[in-house]
Amino acid sequence: MEKLGLLYQGKAKKMYATDDPELLWVEYLNQATAGNGAKKEQIAGKAELNNRITALVFDELKKRGIDSHLVRQISPTEQIVRKMTMFPLEIVQRNVAAGSFSKRLGVTEGTPLSEPVLEFYYKSDPLNDPFINDDDAVVLGVANREDLKEISALARTINEKLTELFASIDVLLVDFKIEMGKTSDGKILLADEITPDTCRLWDTRKAAGDDGAVKDGDIERLDKDIFRKDLGSIIPAYEEILHRLEGLAQSH
Ligand code: ADP
Ligand code: UDP
């Protein structure tokens, strides 16, 4: 396969065309950003970790019946994916209060939610990815009702499978963001990435107290909050996630 021109330079990845119009060449970057690019750093090793983690998570989801855009990993920092027409949506699922949910609604970080919460954000850098509801998405032309129904059902199933998957490696899936698109034959598929950049992952080997509750000072974060909150290097945490996922992949 041949790598052709750069189609899009994002904050975390570069997307290239290939000699197959149905496929894209993805290059993961070492760049880390937070606050819509307000905080930005180059972190050696991040590209490789996120490329490998995404490939492993998508492989594990496939084993559990969830298809994605991933075709194959082709180098430590690159993968080939199916080209999709993306919905300009950040699809967020939450199981435990954290981040913008805690801030906006005054719910203490770490509070388990009585049921998973599904949220949509409109992917727009100039607007700072605003929170939107289904009606907003329809009138903005982001997705029609039928697609939104399918996207929501798929997101909830992905949350169930991912929660189980991470629980099996002693990680609490607090919340995460995914993206979806449509293939040229009209199928809605999971796309983009699933990494510690896009999930909140708490280590349950260390986080639970005697009563099983997670207390603020006890949280052992294995995700990008380490970068967002200036808590140190993200690399050992991302390596820990990769190693546990590798162990899971080898176990079946
Ligand atoms: P951002 O755009 O937020 O800076 P990235 O650096 O991760 O994020 O850029 C990757 C871009 O590629 C995103 O805009 C994402 O929506 C898009 N994308 C991900 N998977 C696919 C795909 N299979 N086909 C087309 N576009 C994709
Ligand atoms: N998230 C993401 N990209 C974004 C915004 C959020 O991957 O541009 C992820 C984030 O890592 C977390 C979840 O989506 O796992 C919910 O994020 P939240 O709304 O709490 O936003 P934050 O306060 O992290 O910006």
Side-chain angles (χ1 to χ4, degrees):
M1 175 159 324
E2 210 185 320
K3 183 177 177 183
L4 301 178
L6 178 68
L7 295 176
Y8 179 77
Q9 160 115 42
K11 293 186 283 291
K13 302 187 284 295
K14 284 183 182 174
M15 315 296 280
Y16 294 89
T18 70
D19 50 354
D20 183 334
E22 294 286 327
L23 300 180
L24 293 179
W25 188 297
V26 185
E27 184 188 336
Y28 280 71
L29 307 175
N30 278 334
Q31 179 165 275
T33 62
N36 196 15
K39 180 173 155 80
K40 197 191 281 189
E41 250 176 62
Q42 296 299 316
I43 303 177
K46 176 176 177 280
E48 185 166 343
L49 286 162
N50 278 351
N51 186 43
R52 293 169 70 189
I53 291 169
T54 292
L56 277 169
V57 171
F58 283 175
D59 281 350
E60 288 298 321
L61 283 175
K62 194 165 192 177
K63 289 179 197 160
R64 291 162 175 79
I66 307 283
D67 212 358
S68 78
H69 73 162
L70 179 69
V71 176
R72 63 183 178 276
Q73 189 184 325
I74 49 165
S75 86
T77 56
E78 295 163 299
Q79 54 186 243
I80 301 293
V81 302
R82 289 179 71 174
K83 184 176 183 173
M84 322 261 301
T85 304
M86 298 298 289
F87 295 104
L89 278 178
E90 301 210 325
I91 304 155
V92 169
Q93 279 273 267
R94 303 179 186 275
N95 300 306
V96 175
S100 69
F101 181 92
S102 290
K103 203 166 162 195
R104 188 165 55 89
L105 301 173
V107 183
T108 307
E109 180 158 77
T111 307
L113 303 177
S114 58
E115 55 185 85
V117 169
L118 173 66
E119 296 174 351
F120 293 130
Y121 295 83
Y122 177 36
K123 253 181 91 92
S124 162
D125 283 338
L127 296 176
N128 230 341
D129 301 342
F131 181 97
I132 57 170
N133 67 17
D134 285 40
D135 286 353
D136 296 327
V138 170
V139 299
L140 288 169
V142 162
N144 63 36
R145 295 264 172 217
E146 208 181 311
D147 288 346
L148 283 175
K149 212 172 149 192
E150 195 174 332
I151 289 168
S152 304
L154 183 55
R156 289 187 193 279
T157 307
I158 291 169
N159 183 38
E160 284 165 20
K161 306 285 178 194
L162 273 184
T163 297
E164 274 171 31
L165 194 161
F166 280 112
S168 73
I169 55 168
D170 299 329
V171 169
L172 174 67
L173 178 63
V174 170
D175 57 30
F176 63 96
K177 181 272 300 183
I178 47 177
E179 296 185 24
M180 294 182 199
K182 254 190 193 177
T183 58
S184 57
D185 52 359
K187 194 169 179 234
I188 293 178
L189 277 187
L190 171 63
D192 203 51
E193 65 174 85
I194 296 184
T195 65
D197 272 8
T198 62
C199 302
R200 283 195 173 89
L201 303 170
W202 293 357
D203 189 356
T204 55
R205 287 184 192 164
K206 293 183 183 160
D210 292 342
D211 55 358
V214 176
K215 295 175 208 71
D216 202 24
D218 297 335
I219 299 168
E220 188 75 20
R221 300 175 195 274
L222 298 173
D223 58 56
K224 198 164 121 181
D225 272 351
I226 296 171
F227 174 76
R228 294 190 187 101
K229 294 170 181 275
D230 289 320
L231 299 174
S233 167
I234 59 168
I235 296 298
Y238 285 37
E239 279 172 349
E240 181 66 26
I241 293 294
L242 176 65
H243 294 150
R244 290 192 200 180
L245 286 169
E246 283 171 340
L248 177 66
Q250 279 155 17
S251 71
H252 49 231

